[in-house]
Every structure is written in C-alpha cells, then in structure tokens.
Amino acid sequence: MKASIEWLNEYADINTGAKQLADILTMTGSKVETIESQGNDIENVVVGKILEIKPHVDSDHLVVTKVDVGGGEILQIVTGAKNIKEGDIIPIAKDGSKLPGGIEIRTGKLRGVDSCGMMCSVGELGLDINSYPDQIENGIMILSSNLEKELGKDIKEVLGLNETVLDFEITPNRPDCLSIEGLGREVAVSLDVPFKDPRKNIDEMNVENKENIEGLTVDITAPDLCYRYVARVVKDVKIAPSPAWMAKRLNSCGVRAINNIVDITNYVMLEMGQPMHAFDINSIEGKHITVRRAKAQEKIITLDDQERTLNENMLVISDDKKAVAIAGVMGGQNSEIEENTQTVVFESAVFYGGSVRKTAKAVGLRTESSSRYEKGLSPENALRAINRAVELVEQIGAGKAVEGKIDVYPAKQKEVKIPLQVERINLLLGTNLSKQEMINILEKLDIKVENDIVIPPYFRQDIESTADVAEEVLRFYGYDKLGTTLINAETTLGGKNKEQKIADSVSEFLVNSGLSEICTYGFLSEKDLAKCNITGDNPYLTQAVKIQNPLSEDYTLMKTTSIPSMMQMLANNNNYKNQEVKLFDLSRVYQNKNNAIENGNLPEESNILTIGMYGQKENFYTLKGLVENVLELAGIPKLDVRKEQNNKMYHPGRCANFNIGNDVIATIGEANPLLTKNYDITQRVLIAEINIDKITKYARKTKKYAPITKFPAVERDISMVLNEEIEVGEIEKIIQKKSKKLLEEAKLFDIYRSDKLGENKKSVAYSLKFRVPDRTLTDEEVNGVMKEIVSELEKTLGAELRK
C-alpha cells in the first residue's frame, strides 16, 4: 500500500522527516518497505513564458523562441515543437539542468543558432501522460495560464513533484490499513498527535433509506457471501478528466487516472479502504440488481476485455438477464461507464473474503479490490464510503446526487466485547503498566474501554481476545522498551529418547567402520519398486501410501522400503567408477497396514537403518558381522538367524533374517541379481535392513559385565556330516541346549563339501569352549555333555560324526 506524506498530512500533522517517520511506523507495526521521493532526478527546471516565436533562418522545421524564465532573465531556445504559441506557459530546462534518465541540458547551437535550454514534454519530465489527460504525448507540456505569476519557480513545486511516498507492507490481519484513513490513524497515534478525522461529516451524514431510487431496486439471494449492499444514484453526469489534485493523489499510490467517475471509485477505495464500482444505470436490464451465485458455465467479459467462465461457487452482481460484475473482483464490460453516460449507480458492498479470494484465483484475476475483500472488510464502512463518493461527485462538479440510498443489510456486524485483564496483559508482555496507561493507548486507537470492557471499533475486526488487546498496548508502549528476561515457568529439560540415542550410537559406529551416511527422499514411484522386483500383491506395493499432490511422477508414493533409494545411490557410485562403496541410510518408511488411512487413521511409520555395499573385499559374512556388531552395540540379547527365501529383493539362497522369537528385526543378504541388472551395477551388492524401532523395543537398558574367570577352559572340536538343507543355526541351538550352561563359546570354523561325503551332504565343524566361573571342569563333566550333544544331533538332525 502506497501513501504520500502529503495525503497522510490530511489526517495527522506530520512533524518529522520521511526517514524518521518510516522508522517510527515500522516500530509500531506498520512496516515501511521503501521511501520514494518523486522529482529527485529533476534539477533546474523552471516555469517559463514564450514571448516570441520566429522561423529558423537555416531550417524549415525549427523555430527560434524568446522565453521569460522570471527575474528579468530572457532565454533564446531553438525547438521543433509544433504545439506551442506565443504566451504559452511551459516548463523550461535551463543550462546545467538535469532530467530523468541522467540527461543533462547544456547551452549549444542548433543549425548555427544559440539555444540556451530546452522546452520539456510530459515524458521528458518522467511523468505519466495518463495523469495529465489534457496534454499530448509528443509535444511540449502546456501549463495553466494562471501560472504566469509563477515564472522562474521550480517546476517540481508547481506540479507537486517534490512529494514523498511511503510504501507499506500491510499484514493480512489489518485490512483497515489498506487505506489512507487507516494509515493516517496509525501515523497520528505513532507520533502522539491528534487524529484530525477529516471524514467526520461523512460519519454524521444521515441519508434516507429507500426501496428504490430512479426505479432501481436491489436484492441479495446469497446473504452468506454478501453481508451488505449499498447503492446510490448520481444523475446529470458529465464524464471528464479528474481534477489535477485527484489525479496526482491517485498517481502517487500507483493508480492510473481514467475519468472522473471511475477515478472517484478508486480514490474512495484508497482513501477509506472500501472498494466500489460504478454502473451506467441504462446498462442494468429491468433496473433490478441481484447479488446471486453464478450459474454453471456462465460467462462474462470483464473490463479488461477477457471472457471469464464462472461456476456456482462464485458470486456475481446481475440484472434481470445477465451478470454485470464478478463480485469483489471486476466489473463487466456490459455496464462500463462511457462518454455518453448520464446516470450512474454507485455500488458499495461487502463480500465474504474467502469467496472473493477463491473466485479471483479461479478466474486468474487479482485486483486492488479483491486483495482488500479477501482480507475481510467491515460492512459498517460501506455506507461511509458511498456517501464520500457522492460528496466527491458534487465537489468536482461531475454530477448531481439523487436523494436517498438503497441499503440491504441482512445481518449487522456484531460488537465485540473483551474484558480488560490488566494483570494478564502485563504477564503476557513482561511489563508493569497501569490500567490507565493501557486505556490511554487503546483510546487513541478509537478502542473504547467501558467498565473494564474493551470494545474495538467496527474497522478493527482483528481484535478478538485479550492477546490482541495486549498486542495493541505493546505496539505503542514500545517493543524496544521490553527488557530481556529468562523464562519464568516450569520447563522440561531437553534430551534424546532411547531410540534417538541408539540411532546416534549406531550411526557413529558405522561411520567409524568406514561407511558413509546418505540422506534420501521419503518418496518413490511404482517404477522404483518395479526395479526392485516389487510388483503384484507385494505388501511393499499394496500397502503404499499414495500422495495426492506429488512433486512429480517420480514421487507418487511414500517410501515403503528404502532399498530402491539405496540401490540408486549404489548405481550412481558404480557409474562414477567407484570400486568399493559402503553406505548407510537412517530414514522412515510408511505402510498403510489394515487400511489405516481408509479408516481415518495414520499409516504405520518405522525407522529403518539400511546398509548397502559392494566391492571385492565385501561378502555375506562381512555384512553379517557388521550387523551383529550393530545389534550388540544396541544391547540386543540372544537372537536367531534364519534363512529367508521369500523376499524377492534378495538372492533366494543368500539371505537371512535376524529374529527374536518370531519377530524379524533385521534382514541381510545379497541383492537379487535382477536388481543389480535393473540398476546396471556390475558387481554383487550386499544389502541389510535393520528396524530401529524393534531394536529399541528389545534392547537391554543396562549392560551386564562379568569378571574374568580364574579357571581354565576345556576345548573340544566336533565335526559332523549333515544334509545340505540343514542350517547351522539349528546345530547351534542343540549345542546350546545340551551344554547345561557349561558352554562359553561355540565357533564355526569349517564347512566342507566333496563327492566322498555324498550328494547333498556337507561337513560342519565347530570349536567348543567350556568353562564355569566357580571351578575347574573335569574331563568327565565335559565328555558327558559332548555325548548328549552328539546324541541329540544324530537324533534330531540325522547327523553323523565325521571320522
């Protein structure tokens, strides 16, 4: 929102410079983005009068003029302008003057004749031709003959080009500040000077309400979208350019002058913050205005010559046959004010902001009006604004007001009442203000305080609670006066939970083990899952969470497994010719188990540690040892290792699960050859998935330490021949079960296969270490245990001792 200091002065006596004013307003909540000083790039340009015009002796298109620039100084200027005559008052750039664009004017010769300056056009002064409708674009600027007494005066002062404009950033909760009146009130309170209230006569104006004026009637069929509609009529209209003062003020706020009637609606919008529209009464069929919802596929050509297609959720202003405006956005071309318009209907209405915002977005048309409506305007301002518009019509002689108004106001704005809680406000702000100090600040803002009840004015709909009152008090008490204090309340000391501590320890261990951490997106696509052999009724696909507004087709699903992301990172490294790569990723996966989303619940989230590696030195047992170390670090008790053949992302014969009971807490193995082929990886890839949530669930809270035993160990080796399909884990379970707590360690040291052993046979050898902390074991004790172990292996697994 732009506002000139000259216009703001109408509401408050500004007794400070522009920079200091901007700083003060910014500190009280009205942030000033920029300060624009117009006319700074114009120097030594004055008002002059043409005394004489003679032909140039050596040119048929140039003339030689004598110009009086005041103080008895007469300049000779050569020009080619065709629109000048003797007696004209014009702007003269004297020798050494500067014009916009860095242009400097110096005395010189044109076709051998001295020229001591330059006559200036509107464009050469950097002015908008639309702000000076009586001027021509390619010609000298002709000033009013009344300025003859101002000869020699600085053109900036004469044309009002030396004004300063402040550009404000208005927050969405303050639509009242999208007006000169609202900003003027803020200026007055910020500078602690009286608010002049130049529109007081408008507030006191009593205009009789009528059912119709000049045959015009109004009806609202969508009161939920239109809170109030006020119409007044002006007849004997004379369409003409606006007076210079109005055009100047509009221009300072960045609004182009069009004609007096349209300019009045824009002027009132800027001055009072209430958007308005003006119709030619003859364009309204039946002279009946209806505020209604649009029809499906209803079309209207707006004032910008674009056809807009509407729907039932949009609000329009219509006559008996057609829509004449999109409510709150823009008028229709079919009701435009034209040169022959004689009777005008002024509309001042308030619409539901949410509806205007959605409509403006849907039709691709955001205007000054829509930007104000969408922030929420007060219906109480509508009548004031339309009365001001009619006042301006008569003030500039643009027409004659018809007595009376049409005011349809279905539900009046409610008055808000908030208890003045002095103690609570001081506690919120950390201040020690008295009740009277607070009341003084609030009353300057036109906020009433009656019997300890705060009553905000109609234009402050953002004040709804004690916190809002506290904010108003603080704005003008001064943010800079607040002292620095420590938090005075019970607080919870920050700290990491068990899961976060485990994740940090595991991450640190893996980095120390030579792995590099990667961070991947939480999204993937069905193509990514297909590359990892996940298709059909695979739970990783069927339980995927679909994203309603994906970033792209590559990110349509929430991640159900992190293996596709890991494989892609390994593939990238393989493409970069990195020979040995070891990576890990700590991230979340999401699964829609048991139709959680369809039942109104959230999907299941799990924290998964994924390890991926390839290289000549890496094999299944390297990965297995790494995962075992991770689980041991996390404090996981004894677990089972079981073969896994159903997970299609892994090699069917080189994959295992780490279980606690029937709960799988980790899966490790070699990636399925289909995956390495799909990702163009030329080496074997090893993958592991570890569920951090389950590790946290089963992890021991404290570690148990045992003293070093003083007694020697008894060692035995056992080698047996078994069927190929028997897993070593089954052997270890039997050894542990039959050891009677005498076994300290069982270490697999050999697996052997040969034709002599027989088809589908293998030899498995273990080194067993027996020891107890309270005595030395005897051979008889150990031999007895060994017999039981061998017997159970033979009975349960069909093992044969190898001889």
Side-chain angles (χ1 to χ4, degrees):
M1 172 71 190
K2 290 185 176 182
S4 69
I5 291 181
E6 176 268 334
W7 202 349
L8 291 172
N9 251 318
E10 192 175 315
Y11 293 83
D13 289 326
I14 297 174
N15 50 17
T16 184
K19 178 66 171 65
Q20 187 177 0
L21 175 63
D23 291 342
I24 292 171
L25 290 172
T26 298
M27 286 301 295
T28 56
S30 303
K31 183 181 178 184
V32 177
E33 285 284 294
T34 59
I35 302 173
E36 301 173 8
S37 296
Q38 298 180 349
N40 277 355
D41 46 4
I42 300 175
E43 292 182 13
N44 203 23
V45 179
V46 300
V47 177
K49 178 182 178 181
I50 302 175
L51 301 177
E52 179 184 285
I53 301 176
K54 289 186 176 181
H56 193 290
V57 293
D58 194 25
S59 172
D60 56 359
H61 68 277
L62 296 176
V63 293
V64 180
T65 66
K66 301 289 184 183
V67 180
D68 182 357
V69 292
E73 184 180 5
I74 308 297
L75 300 180
Q76 178 175 287
I77 298 176
V78 179
T79 181
K82 303 296 183 184
N83 67 317
I84 58 173
K85 64 182 185 300
E86 292 179 357
D88 281 344
I89 309 297
I90 58 174
I92 297 294
K94 299 169 69 175
D95 180 43
S97 61
K98 293 182 180 179
L99 296 176
I103 300 171
E104 289 192 28
I105 304 301
R106 295 289 181 185
T107 296
K109 291 181 180 290
L110 285 176
R111 294 286 182 95
V113 177
D114 290 336
S115 183
C116 303
M118 185 180 82
M119 300 177 184
C120 299
S121 67
V122 172
E124 286 164 340
L125 291 174
L127 305 177
D128 183 359
I129 188 67
N130 295 303
S131 299
Y132 299 90
D134 54 334
Q135 303 293 330
I136 62 174
E137 192 161 359
N138 297 310
I140 301 303
M141 185 177 193
I142 309 299
L143 303 174
S144 170
S145 58
N146 296 331
L147 294 176
E148 184 172 353
K149 57 186 176 182
E150 306 290 350
L151 297 184
K153 203 165 186 178
D154 192 323
I155 196 69
K156 291 187 292 184
E157 186 178 345
V158 172
L159 296 181
L161 302 180
N162 51 357
E163 69 177 345
T164 301
V165 176
L166 304 180
D167 192 354
F168 293 85
E169 179 187 341
I170 306 300
T171 53
N173 67 315
R174 293 298 305 275
D176 60 298
C177 284
L178 288 171
S179 67
I180 303 296
E181 184 176 63
L183 290 173
R185 186 177 290 106
E186 291 289 309
V187 169
V189 182
S190 299
L191 296 180
D192 198 20
V193 297
F195 177 61
K196 296 181 182 179
D197 195 9
R199 302 284 82 79
K200 188 176 180 181
N201 62 318
I202 295 296
D203 296 331
E204 297 172 350
M205 187 182 295
N206 185 19
V207 181
E208 183 185 356
N209 199 26
K210 294 186 177 182
E211 291 186 2
N212 69 76
I213 304 173
E214 297 287 306
L216 181 74
T217 56
V218 175
D219 182 32
I220 298 176
T221 63
D224 56 324
L225 301 182
C226 179
Y227 302 144
R228 189 178 191 180
Y229 192 100
V230 185
R232 289 198 66 179
V233 177
V234 174
K235 62 182 182 180
D236 299 333
V237 171
K238 300 170 185 174
I239 304 298
S242 296
W245 63 267
M246 182 178 285
K248 175 190 166 190
R249 284 187 169 180
L250 290 173
N251 185 58
S252 70
C253 292
V255 177
R256 180 172 63 89
I258 298 173
N259 61 52
N260 50 6
I261 297 299
V262 175
D263 290 349
I264 284 172
T265 62
N266 287 331
Y267 188 90
V268 173
M269 178 184 68
L270 293 172
E271 184 180 57
M272 305 184 74
Q274 171 63 43
M276 296 185 63
H277 191 61
F279 303 103
D280 185 331
I281 197 170
N282 293 324
S283 67
I284 302 172
E285 304 255 3
K287 291 190 178 180
H288 178 67
I289 291 175
T290 303
V291 186
R292 61 170 173 83
R293 282 179 165 83
K295 301 170 185 174
Q297 297 300 307
E298 186 171 3
K299 299 184 184 301
I300 182 174
I301 298 176
T302 47
L303 290 171
D304 59 352
D305 294 329
Q306 298 294 316
E307 185 178 72
R308 315 282 176 177
T309 302
L310 312 177
N311 60 51
E312 302 96 321
N313 297 320
M314 300 175 182
L315 192 70
V316 296
I317 313 300
S318 76
D319 58 22
D320 287 344
K321 292 186 178 180
K322 63 187 180 300
V324 295
I326 303 175
V329 182
M330 186 176 278
Q333 203 177 68
N334 51 24
S335 60
E336 185 177 9
I337 300 296
E338 298 177 345
E339 289 185 4
N340 59 354
T341 297
Q342 293 184 341
T343 304
V344 168
V345 178
F346 280 107
E347 163 199 292
S348 179
V350 177
F351 310 108
Y352 169 51
S355 171
V356 173
R357 180 181 61 81
K358 290 177 182 178
T359 298
K361 185 177 180 181
V363 301
L365 184 60
R366 196 166 188 270
T367 61
E368 287 283 345
S369 294
S370 68
S371 66
R372 282 169 169 78
Y373 277 122
E374 66 188 32
K375 292 174 177 62
L377 299 181
S378 168
E380 292 295 313
N381 198 34
L383 181 58
R384 296 177 69 247
I386 205 166
N387 287 342
R388 172 61 171 156
V390 172
E391 181 185 58
L392 285 169
V393 168
E394 295 189 326
Q395 180 181 332
I396 67 174
K400 182 180 179 182
V402 175
E403 287 298 322
K405 68 179 187 298
I406 298 174
D407 187 0
V408 185
Y409 198 177
K412 291 201 172 185
Q413 180 179 331
K414 294 180 181 178
E415 188 176 66
V416 177
K417 295 184 178 182
I418 308 162
L420 179 61
Q421 298 174 289
V422 176
E423 237 180 88
R424 173 66 178 156
I425 291 172
N426 277 323
L427 189 62
L428 280 171
L429 303 181
T431 55
N432 190 28
L433 295 171
S434 67
K435 181 200 291 188
Q436 192 57 48
E437 286 177 300
M438 293 183 186
I439 291 173
N440 291 342
I441 291 173
L442 295 173
E443 288 183 343
K444 288 177 183 178
L445 291 163
D446 285 348
I447 301 173
K448 295 179 183 177
V449 181
E450 299 176 354
N451 301 320
D452 291 343
I453 298 296
V454 176
I455 306 173
Y458 68 87
F459 53 82
R460 291 302 305 275
Q461 298 183 85
D462 59 305
I463 301 177
E464 300 175 329
S465 65
T466 298
D468 299 321
V469 176
E471 181 184 5
E472 295 306 301
V473 170
L474 180 58
R475 285 201 302 132
F476 295 101
Y477 169 71
Y479 294 104
D480 55 329
K481 294 180 183 177
L482 292 180
T484 302
T485 59
L486 295 174
I487 296 174
N488 184 22
E490 291 184 6
T491 59
T492 301
L493 292 176
K496 294 187 176 181
N497 59 28
K498 182 180 177 182
E499 181 178 333
Q500 291 169 327
K501 289 177 180 177
I502 289 175
D504 286 349
S505 298
V506 169
S507 178
E508 183 180 3
F509 167 75
L510 292 174
V511 170
N512 292 338
S513 299
L515 280 74
S516 299
E517 184 173 7
I518 61 172
C519 294
T520 57
Y521 287 119
F523 319 113
L524 42 71
S525 68
E526 289 190 28
K527 293 178 182 178
D528 295 324
L529 294 175
K531 288 178 74 174
C532 286
N533 209 19
I534 298 173
T535 55
D537 59 354
N538 192 305
Y540 286 127
L541 179 58
T542 58
Q543 295 177 4
V545 178
K546 294 184 178 179
I547 301 171
Q548 291 184 353
N549 54 340
L551 297 174
S552 70
E553 62 179 12
D554 295 327
Y555 301 113
T556 56
L557 306 175
M558 296 299 292
K559 190 159 61 176
T560 52
T561 170
S562 54
I563 287 184
S565 303
M566 177 60 73
M567 290 298 295
Q568 187 59 57
M569 293 299 103
L570 293 172
N572 292 345
N573 278 275
N574 183 67
N575 292 338
Y576 299 150
K577 306 299 181 184
N578 292 327
Q579 297 303 311
E580 293 190 5
V581 176
K582 295 190 288 185
L583 307 174
F584 74 94
D585 177 26
L586 269 167
S587 59
R588 287 182 181 270
V589 298
Y590 308 82
Q591 287 183 284
N592 183 27
K593 291 186 177 180
N594 302 318
N595 295 319
I597 295 176
E598 289 76 6
N599 294 325
N601 300 315
L602 294 174
E604 182 180 296
E605 297 183 31
S606 302
N607 286 307
I608 303 297
L609 167 65
T610 307
I611 299 174
M613 58 176 66
Y614 67 76
Q616 292 183 353
K617 297 179 182 178
E618 315 304 336
N619 56 43
F620 178 87
Y621 297 104
T622 305
L623 180 62
K624 180 174 179 286
L626 188 65
V627 173
E628 286 175 339
N629 287 337
V630 167
L631 298 176
E632 182 181 355
L633 176 69
I636 297 298
K638 206 166 185 70
L639 43 78
D640 296 332
V641 181
R642 301 177 187 174
K643 184 185 291 185
E644 169 60 54
Q645 293 181 309
N646 296 323
N647 195 324
K648 295 182 179 181
M649 291 187 287
Y650 291 86
H651 192 295
R654 299 170 188 166
C655 180
N657 289 332
F658 285 72
N659 285 40
I660 295 179
N662 292 322
D663 203 355
V664 178
I665 65 170
T667 301
I668 68 169
E670 184 181 314
N672 193 307
L674 287 174
L675 271 65
T676 56
K677 181 180 179 181
N678 290 340
Y679 284 95
D680 296 324
I681 300 176
T682 56
Q683 306 186 53
R684 287 185 177 184
V685 172
L686 300 169
I687 299 288
E689 297 172 279
I690 305 171
N691 191 311
I692 298 296
D693 295 336
K694 291 183 178 179
I695 287 179
T696 305
K697 175 183 174 182
Y698 293 113
R700 287 196 186 103
K701 292 183 179 179
T702 57
K703 292 184 178 181
K704 293 182 179 181
Y705 295 91
I708 299 174
T709 181
K710 302 175 183 179
F711 303 99
V714 178
E715 295 185 357
R716 294 284 190 274
D717 289 345
I718 181 172
S719 179
M720 66 210 80
V721 178
L722 310 98
N723 290 333
E724 183 69 50
E725 66 272 10
I726 294 174
E727 299 177 11
V728 293
E730 296 179 59
I731 300 171
E732 291 180 4
K733 285 181 185 177
I734 292 174
I735 292 174
Q736 291 283 353
K737 180 180 178 182
K738 293 299 179 179
S739 65
K740 298 180 179 179
K741 297 185 179 181
L742 302 182
L743 185 69
E744 182 179 78
E745 182 183 28
K747 184 182 293 185
L748 174 69
F749 69 86
D750 183 50
I751 297 178
Y752 173 73
R753 297 174 180 86
S754 73
D755 294 338
K756 291 181 180 181
L757 295 177
E759 188 177 357
N760 292 326
K761 295 287 185 178
K762 63 182 176 182
S763 171
V764 179
Y766 275 89
S767 175
L768 308 179
K769 184 186 291 185
F770 298 92
R771 177 156 41 197
V772 291
D774 57 348
R775 70 185 189 281
T776 299
L777 292 173
T778 64
D779 286 342
E780 288 76 14
E781 286 180 287
V782 174
N783 290 340
V785 170
M786 287 296 296
K787 283 182 181 180
E788 288 190 35
I789 291 173
V790 171
S791 175
E792 188 66 26
L793 289 171
E794 290 174 343
K795 177 183 174 182
T796 305
L797 303 180
E800 297 178 8
L801 283 178
R802 187 179 175 193
K803 299 178 181 178

